[in-house]
Amino acid sequence: MTGRMADKVAIVTGGASGIGRSCCLRFSEEGAQVVVADINLERAAAVADEITQAGGQATSVAVDTSIPEEVDAMANAAVEAFGRLDACVAAAGISHAGYISREPDQQAAQDRHDRQDMLLIEKSLANWQRVIDVNLTGVMLTNQSVAKQMVASGGGSIVNIASVAGRTALMGASDYCVSKAGVWMLTKCGAIELARHGIRVNAVGPGYIRTSMSGAATSNEKWVDERVKETPLRRLGEPSDIANACLYLCSDEASFVTGEIIFPDGGLIADSRA
Ligand SMILES: NC(=O)c1ccc[n+]([C@@H]2O[C@H](COP(=O)([O-])OP(=O)(O)OC[C@H]3O[C@@H](n4cnc5c(N)ncnc54)[C@H](O)[C@@H]3O)[C@@H](O)[C@H]2O)c1
């Protein structure tokens, strides 16, 4: 196999849809053997089929990334299928049940998204906990399980999908923002702890990307117009914009890059970047 991921085995959690699916397809195009891991096995299997029909190598695994035993089994399944593990993109995630954006006119935002139950003062513990369980604890468990297999394989590269929301507060999304800020810090902690094993850990923080998760918002033309106006590159992102950043970080081209976060966001938060 030739390509930027030739001879590498990669797991992608959340691989059945959106950003994760795009990573699976892109990595395969570049020669990786891909494990499509998702809570939705039927859709994960369809992505694996798409890859094999195009001449690549892939398998699918059912996993709820918030359950430690399932995450361990996922990492073991990759090694059973392909003999080693070199790369992982932790893309499985859920939103805070809506998509309330940074809105210059907070009153307008509030009127439009009249969801008192999402604001901090009303947020239910159950909703908070599920977002933290999947988006933060799930990423930690994934990092832990894949790192163990990567140690045995002599090193590797982990990419955690964070968000601009880990950097910039969004109305009604305290759970989501905190989970993504946590992913960013987890990435830095993982980088310094796993470097001794030859494992690099980086994060990618997407801006507004067209996927199922953002579907309710991106089907609203007014919402899209507003987001495009506030994005310097004047468009929403596509899953492939994120997959290309993940590909770079998982490839050997990034062999001296660890503990880093890349924001493919069209310049959305350039004004607030350190
Ligand atoms: N779409 C955006 O605008 C955007 C922006 C910033 C960050 N992100 C992040 O990108 C990642 C991918 O999201 P997406 O936009 O592609 O959404 P998506 O809904 O298209 O894909 C998410 C995938 O994760 C899977 N999943 C959910 N919970 C899971 C669990 N517990 N275990 C295993 N799989 C699970 C879903 O089944 C789905 O296939 C998420 O972490 C999300 O927070 C998305």
Side-chain angles (χ1 to χ4, degrees):
M1 260 290 179
T2 55
R4 293 161 72 191
M5 294 289 284
D7 303 323
K8 291 193 194 295
V9 177
I11 291 181
V12 181
T13 72
S17 174
I19 290 168
R21 173 177 174 275
S22 188
C23 287
C24 292
L25 300 178
R26 190 75 190 89
F27 283 22
S28 172
E29 281 169 13
E30 294 292 341
Q33 294 162 302
V34 180
V35 179
V36 186
D38 204 283
I39 202 165
N40 186 329
L41 182 59
E42 201 180 319
R43 290 212 319 245
V47 173
D49 278 354
E50 201 178 336
I51 289 173
T52 46
Q53 275 167 25
Q57 279 184 282
T59 188
S60 53
V61 177
V63 64
D64 178 340
T65 54
S66 67
I67 299 177
E69 297 74 20
E70 293 193 14
V71 181
D72 260 343
M74 168 191 79
N76 289 337
V79 177
E80 273 163 28
F82 297 121
R84 51 184 295 112
L85 181 59
D86 306 284
C88 174
V89 178
I94 55 175
S95 84
H96 46 290
Y99 214 74
I100 297 183
S101 70
R102 286 193 304 162
E103 180 73 56
D105 179 351
Q106 291 296 332
Q107 188 54 50
Q110 194 50 47
D111 293 344
R112 211 149 44 78
H113 308 280
D114 193 15
R115 291 286 306 273
Q116 289 296 329
D117 60 318
M118 287 169 61
L119 300 179
L120 184 56
I121 204 161
E122 295 285 349
K123 194 169 292 273
S124 76
L125 180 58
N127 284 355
W128 168 276
Q129 197 62 60
R130 186 63 189 155
V131 172
I132 298 295
D133 283 352
V134 176
N135 289 8
L136 179 54
T137 309
V139 173
M140 187 279 288
L141 293 170
T142 300
N143 284 207
Q144 221 175 25
S145 294
V146 301
K148 285 177 191 156
Q149 297 296 348
M150 286 175 182
V151 169
S153 300
S157 172
I158 298 172
V159 176
N160 295 323
I161 303 299
S163 170
V164 290
R167 174 75 196 250
T168 305
L170 301 182
M171 284 286 287
S174 53
D175 38 17
Y176 188 78
C177 293
V178 167
S179 72
K180 295 301 186 178
V183 165
W184 189 357
M185 182 50 78
L186 175 75
T187 298
K188 292 190 269 190
C189 292
I192 61 168
E193 290 187 14
L194 294 172
R196 73 197 67 176
H197 301 294
I199 300 171
R200 297 182 294 103
V201 189
N202 292 288
V204 169
Y208 298 113
I209 312 299
R210 288 183 192 275
T211 67
S212 321
M213 182 183 284
S214 59
T218 53
S219 58
N220 176 338
E221 265 179 45
K222 187 166 179 286
W223 185 94
V224 172
D225 283 352
E226 286 164 0
R227 300 295 76 77
V228 167
K229 268 188 210 131
E230 69 180 359
T231 302
L233 285 179
R234 293 288 184 268
R235 67 173 175 89
L236 299 189
E238 299 298 331
S240 59
D241 292 314
I242 310 308
N244 283 327
C246 295
L247 173 65
Y248 162 67
L249 290 170
C250 283
S251 76
D252 293 339
E253 293 159 27
S255 63
F256 200 50
V257 182
T258 197
E260 190 54 86
I261 184 165
I262 297 177
F263 289 107
D265 68 349
L268 184 68
I269 59 164
D271 56 349
S272 63
R273 245 171 244 160

